[in-house]
Amino acid sequence: MMKNMRKKKDVGIYGLTAKWYDKNSRKSRMTQMQEYANEVAALVGKKANILEVAPGPGYLSIELAKKGFNVTGVEISPDFVKIEKNNANEANVTVDFKEGNASKLPCENRFFDFVVCSAAFKNFKDPVKVLCEMHRVLVEGGTALIIDMNYEATAEDINNEIVQTGMKGFDKHFVKFAFNTFLKQGAYTKTDFESLLQETPFKNYTIKKEGISLFVYLYK
């Protein structure tokens, strides 16, 4: 039985909290988003259609757009959608950011070459439905990548992650607290993901552990 059987609700960040997150996470997250963008770019062809599910402030989508990909972002929070569009304008790139729910993506069948979801999967109320939606919108031969916190991350893993971000002062202590409490509580283990995937059309997948994160590669 999965560790995470309690009821969840789809979590969005709204209003002043969304603005605070955008302002305070930008510097620490940008290098990581560039690394994630490089990871995605190594797995797709030029001009690929890429969907980011729950892009938050939109940093990863923007980095992917800078590389010449056709990028769409679906975000449940209307406040984040406004922030995403503003951030894309500031970066002088085009991303189709739209409001929508991950469990019912406002996207065509078999349209995207790649789907990515970073640091958001643990928040979804119906993870199986989200996985099925990812499968629906992928082209045959497409790939989805979920990057999220590993429930089995150790205190040492978390400390190393904080050091790598370069955070200091209040932000450092708050993020460390978040990793050790509510973020970790919602996270999945490798075994949890394997259980979820048994209920989806994804039958070919790879899961690897890296630092505090799990990288879940799903192949259609």
Side-chain angles (χ1 to χ4, degrees):
M1 181 178 292
M2 289 174 55
K3 140 203 95 58
N4 252 337
M5 293 303 290
R6 71 185 186 285
K7 290 184 178 180
K8 291 186 177 184
K9 62 179 180 178
D10 290 325
V11 177
I13 299 179
Y14 302 90
L16 293 175
T17 304
K19 292 178 181 179
W20 178 90
Y21 183 87
D22 176 42
K23 178 181 178 181
N24 289 278
S25 66
R26 183 173 305 208
K27 184 176 180 180
S28 63
R29 294 277 285 168
M30 197 56 68
T31 299
Q32 188 177 57
M33 292 303 101
Q34 290 167 350
E35 293 173 355
Y36 290 173
N38 290 337
E39 174 74 9
V40 174
L43 299 171
V44 294
K46 293 182 179 179
K47 302 296 182 181
N49 294 316
I50 297 177
L51 170 66
E52 182 176 11
V53 178
Y59 307 145
L60 177 53
S61 287
I62 289 168
E63 291 302 315
L64 290 167
K66 288 179 181 179
K67 293 180 178 295
F69 299 117
N70 303 310
V71 185
T72 300
V74 175
E75 169 61 50
I76 196 171
S77 165
D79 297 302
F80 258 148
V81 173
K82 293 177 183 177
I83 290 170
E84 292 160 359
K85 291 180 177 179
N86 183 64
N87 287 342
N89 287 335
E90 289 182 358
N92 197 30
V93 296
T94 299
V95 180
D96 182 17
F97 288 119
K98 61 180 71 178
E99 186 178 344
N101 196 307
S103 61
K104 192 175 182 181
L105 293 169
C107 306
E108 298 177 31
N109 294 343
R110 299 180 294 279
F111 180 81
F112 295 101
D113 303 291
F114 201 97
V115 176
V116 63
C117 179
S118 167
F121 190 83
K122 60 183 167 292
N123 299 326
F124 298 142
K125 177 182 177 181
D126 193 338
V128 170
K129 187 174 288 188
V130 175
L131 289 167
C132 291
E133 279 292 275
M134 290 181 176
H135 188 276
R136 177 182 67 81
V137 302
L138 275 173
V139 298
E140 293 297 327
T143 300
L145 171 59
I146 298 168
I147 308 170
D148 216 322
M149 188 173 182
N150 178 7
Y151 181 78
E152 296 176 327
T154 65
E156 182 180 2
D157 292 331
I158 292 172
N159 285 333
N160 289 338
E161 180 76 11
I162 297 297
V163 170
Q164 290 176 13
T165 65
M167 287 184 177
K168 298 179 180 179
F170 171 79
D171 289 339
K172 173 183 175 181
H173 294 293
F174 176 77
V175 172
K176 184 176 182 179
F177 169 78
F179 278 140
N180 280 298
T181 55
F182 57 88
L183 292 180
K184 189 171 183 179
Q185 287 173 0
Y188 294 99
T189 66
K190 180 176 182 288
T191 301
D192 289 337
F193 267 109
E194 290 170 341
S195 296
L196 290 173
L197 289 168
Q198 289 179 8
E199 302 180 54
T200 78
F202 285 114
K203 302 307 176 187
N204 187 13
Y205 58 86
T206 302
I207 303 175
K208 68 176 184 178
K209 300 178 184 180
E210 186 172 311
I212 68 167
S213 300
L214 290 175
F215 285 65
V216 183
Y217 298 83
L218 310 170
Y219 311 106
K220 181 171 179 178

